[in-house]
Amino acid sequence: MGEGRPGVAATLRALNGALGRPAALWVKENGARNLRHRDFLAPRAALSAAFPGGQVPPEAVSVVPLLRGPAVLPLRVCRQTPAGLAVQVHRPEAFQRLLGPLPDPPPSAAGPRTGCVVLHCPVLRSPTALRPRHLRSVLLADHLAQLLRAQGVDVRLVPALSEERSWDVLRQLRICWPSGSGVSALTDEISALKAALGQCPCAAACEQGPGTAEGVICKVHLKSFVEQQGLLGYDPNLDVLLVTERTLQSLAELQEAVLQCPVSDPTALPASHFPSSSCCSIVHVVNCEEEFQQQQLDVLWRILDPGAHTALQKHLVCGPVKVMNPSSPIGADQYFQLRKRQMYEASVIKYGELAQDEAWTEVIDTLTVAAIRFEMLSTAHRSQITLDLENNSISTKGTKSGAFVMYNCARLATLFNTFQRAVEQGTYPPLPPVSELNFSCLREEGEWLLLFNYLLPFPEVLQQAAQLPPPSKGIRITANTETVCKFLIQLSMDFSSYYNRVHILGEPFPHLFDQMFARLHLLGAVRDVFHSALATLHLPPLSQI
């Protein structure tokens, strides 16, 4: 078919356009109860505000089922109901279009990456051991980098990991972060920053006395600069910053990352001391305890390099991580090992001796990573997380955990492995292409729920999760970094409910094959969604559990 892949946003735009009103009147239904009767609704209250007496002209209602477009769902009927104007989708055709092969993208779709983002996680410069609160910002930056790359954005991760210390816990958590060669590679950038510092009217010499910190180069008056520039959102306690070699090293590494970004408009930075740098967004991902120090670095960079990129700095602040009843401060590595032991014990309880086999080592490692990532990322980044280390909160039984998501992903793998073996044994014929199937046999409400709530909106879910909206006021931004985890948890719950209720691989009778093959195509697409979403969390799909 040449219509392309349907989408939620395009369908809503077409529905709103059909009623001839600028306001967004329509909503997509999500709940199983309402989806039995309708798929989209223009609520009565919205219609009353847009039309006299809430009465939509009959000619507008009659146009709705005729709507067509490259990404518009096929609509079957539109009717007035007590709840408002209700629309039902032509479901067999929707299954066909969403599960069938997509047309080849136009050549422009494979063009250059769209923009560049520098994700800066300053906690990775800390000389002290990482703690769970530090892991939150690192895991969030790692996930956000994957989401942005999936949308074609060029991403630079800063700082590079020092080779002088161990980063085992990051490797165990499958965090992909670059390592670097250290300060020696930043000599030119540090020299340029020192030259800018020497000409800076906000800088003053710092007298070396008994109380002066070692390595201080000068002091810079940040508060006066913030007031002169009318900058909003900064802590009112920002005042004087003592600039050290380490401070300049941090800025130099940020500057180097900016220089590596593709230059979209090299003439855009006439005021910069670094004229070859590009206009890219810089996002400082920090926990709430580091926010003040990062604001100091932000303002200093603006002072020393008044270019467009320093004006595009944003701060994504993570809320606190509260550890309940710790016997002593717990490090990130101890936290990982504790969760791994708990996952092993939970697996032994559920699967018995199987979980003690050596082949399960990788499975338990993956389940542990999934449990920690979901524990850290399924809550909105600005909210507090509470870790209960005494109770096994990552049990394989809970429906809100990463282990539950991985379990359902593995169930799909087992289903398709079983089907493939049956094909090889001659029990079933091979799975035919979508074009040969009649999807009118998919009438179970769980099947439409999986397609309409997960397969249909999934590309838009990834887009929304990767959005970095400009701050409404000040420098803080809010990102939807919890979206993918919540999406996967809800998908797992609805898939599990469907899978427990419906027998997919039935008796090998030819008159039952159409329905079985249609269901396998649907669940194959569900499996692909699981895999794509888990890839943004650096989680490989499990083939067994």
Side-chain angles (χ1 to χ4, degrees):
M1 291 196 177
E3 295 94 337
R5 190 190 194 282
V8 175
T11 303
L12 288 172
R13 282 194 298 269
L15 286 169
N16 285 315
L19 297 189
R21 293 292 186 272
L25 302 177
W26 294 87
V27 294
K28 174 188 173 294
E29 293 287 7
N30 296 303
R33 183 177 178 181
N34 287 337
L35 286 174
R36 293 168 191 160
H37 313 290
R38 60 182 183 252
D39 299 310
F40 294 94
L41 177 72
R44 178 65 56 198
L47 294 177
S48 297
F51 296 95
Q55 295 300 309
V56 182
E59 59 272 19
V61 176
S62 63
V63 166
V64 170
L66 305 177
L67 291 173
R68 294 291 181 270
V72 177
L73 281 164
L75 307 179
R76 186 175 68 84
V77 65
C78 177
R79 62 179 182 272
Q80 293 276 6
T81 71
L85 203 56
V87 163
Q88 275 193 317
V89 172
H90 191 281
R91 294 183 176 184
E93 187 181 342
F95 275 109
Q96 194 89 31
R97 284 179 60 185
L98 278 159
L99 300 180
L102 296 178
D104 292 333
S108 59
R113 289 185 172 270
T114 56
C116 180
V117 174
V118 174
L119 293 179
H120 175 221
C121 206
V123 72
L124 292 175
R125 290 196 187 89
S126 173
T128 60
L130 294 178
R131 300 205 177 278
R133 69 175 184 273
H134 302 138
L135 279 185
R136 185 180 190 183
S137 55
V138 181
L139 285 167
L140 191 146
D142 178 71
H143 177 45
L144 187 54
Q146 286 294 92
L147 291 167
L148 290 167
R149 287 169 180 146
Q151 300 302 314
V153 178
D154 194 89
V155 179
R156 308 291 177 188
L157 297 173
V158 178
L161 299 179
S162 167
E163 297 176 354
E164 299 173 359
R165 60 179 289 190
S166 171
W167 299 100
D168 283 349
V169 70
L170 301 191
R171 177 183 52 79
Q172 290 167 332
L173 286 168
R174 296 187 171 93
I175 293 171
C176 295
W177 206 275
S179 56
S181 53
V183 181
S184 58
L186 302 172
T187 305
D188 292 344
E189 284 78 12
I190 293 174
S191 297
L193 288 166
K194 285 183 176 179
L197 200 58
Q199 302 172 16
C200 174
C202 298
C206 188
E207 296 181 4
Q208 299 295 322
T212 307
E214 185 178 352
V216 172
I217 299 171
C218 66
K219 59 183 178 182
V220 176
H221 295 272
L222 305 179
K223 192 169 188 176
S224 58
F225 178 83
V226 170
E227 292 172 347
Q228 289 167 9
Q229 299 295 315
L231 301 177
L232 300 175
Y234 289 89
D235 193 301
N237 294 312
L238 284 181
D239 194 359
V240 174
L241 172 65
L242 300 179
V243 179
T244 65
E245 286 283 348
R246 187 177 174 187
T247 309
L248 295 183
Q249 290 167 14
S250 300
L251 288 184
E253 195 163 9
L254 280 166
Q255 192 69 50
E256 175 66 17
V258 171
L259 289 168
Q260 292 173 1
C261 286
V263 180
S264 56
D265 184 3
T267 65
L269 305 175
S272 177
H273 292 288
F274 305 85
S276 60
S277 59
S278 62
C279 286
C280 64
S281 294
I282 296 101
V283 180
H284 305 292
V285 184
V286 297
N287 64 53
C288 51
E289 297 173 6
E290 304 160 347
E291 185 179 11
F292 183 81
Q293 289 79 7
Q294 188 51 50
Q295 286 189 17
Q296 291 178 314
L297 200 67
D298 171 316
V299 176
L300 179 63
W301 197 13
R302 290 173 187 263
I303 291 171
L304 299 183
D305 183 14
H309 56 284
T310 58
L312 294 175
Q313 295 180 82
K314 305 171 185 177
H315 295 243
L316 197 156
V317 182
C318 298
V321 176
K322 180 182 178 183
V323 179
M324 292 182 62
N325 305 317
S327 55
S328 61
I330 185 169
D333 52 348
Q334 295 170 290
Y335 167 58
F336 178 86
Q337 294 302 327
L338 174 64
R339 288 297 189 228
K340 183 176 179 179
R341 177 175 57 79
Q342 291 172 338
M343 183 57 70
Y344 171 76
E345 292 170 352
S347 298
V348 169
I349 291 172
K350 184 166 185 176
Y351 302 106
E353 293 182 2
L354 279 175
Q356 301 179 53
D357 190 275
E358 285 187 10
W360 270 68
T361 301
E362 181 65 23
V363 172
I364 290 173
D365 283 346
T366 300
L367 290 174
T368 303
V369 175
I372 290 174
R373 281 184 174 266
F374 275 75
E375 194 168 37
M376 289 288 182
L377 295 174
S378 58
T379 301
H381 68 81
R382 56 201 172 276
S383 301
Q384 175 177 293
I385 292 175
T386 300
L387 302 180
D388 188 348
L389 302 183
E390 293 184 355
N391 295 326
N392 187 358
S393 59
I394 60 169
S395 164
T396 56
K397 297 180 181 179
T399 58
K400 304 290 187 182
S401 69
F404 179 70
V405 171
M406 301 306 290
Y407 167 67
N408 282 285
C409 188
R411 293 171 87 184
L412 280 165
T414 301
L415 169 69
F416 282 94
N417 289 338
T418 303
F419 172 73
Q420 188 57 40
R421 285 195 300 271
V423 170
E424 292 167 358
Q425 294 165 4
T427 306
Y428 302 128
L431 189 64
V434 169
S435 58
E436 297 180 11
L437 296 179
N438 178 5
F439 286 96
S440 60
C441 61
L442 295 185
R443 300 187 185 93
E444 218 280 339
E445 72 174 28
E447 291 154 358
W448 182 245
L449 201 68
L450 290 172
L451 186 99
F452 195 62
N453 280 353
Y454 303 102
L455 301 188
L456 172 67
F458 179 60
E460 292 162 69
V461 167
L462 291 183
Q463 290 172 7
Q464 292 163 7
Q467 286 179 355
L468 294 172
S472 56
K473 185 179 181 181
I475 55 175
R476 275 194 179 199
I477 61 168
T478 299
N480 299 315
T481 50
E482 74 280 9
T483 299
V484 171
C485 286
K486 288 186 172 181
F487 175 88
L488 280 169
I489 289 168
Q490 195 62 49
L491 169 59
S492 297
M493 292 172 67
D494 284 338
F495 163 72
S496 181
S497 174
Y498 170 74
Y499 195 73
N500 291 338
R501 194 170 62 248
V502 177
H503 190 54
I504 307 299
L505 300 180
E507 296 294 330
F509 299 138
H511 69 280
L512 300 176
F513 285 165
D514 278 357
Q515 186 177 60
M516 182 181 74
F517 290 150
R519 285 172 169 168
L520 284 171
H521 270 292
L522 170 63
L523 295 182
V526 170
R527 176 192 58 188
D528 293 343
V529 165
F530 266 110
H531 291 187
S532 297
L534 289 171
T536 70
L537 296 160
H538 282 128
L539 288 170
L542 291 177
S543 58
Q544 65 167 4
I545 192 168

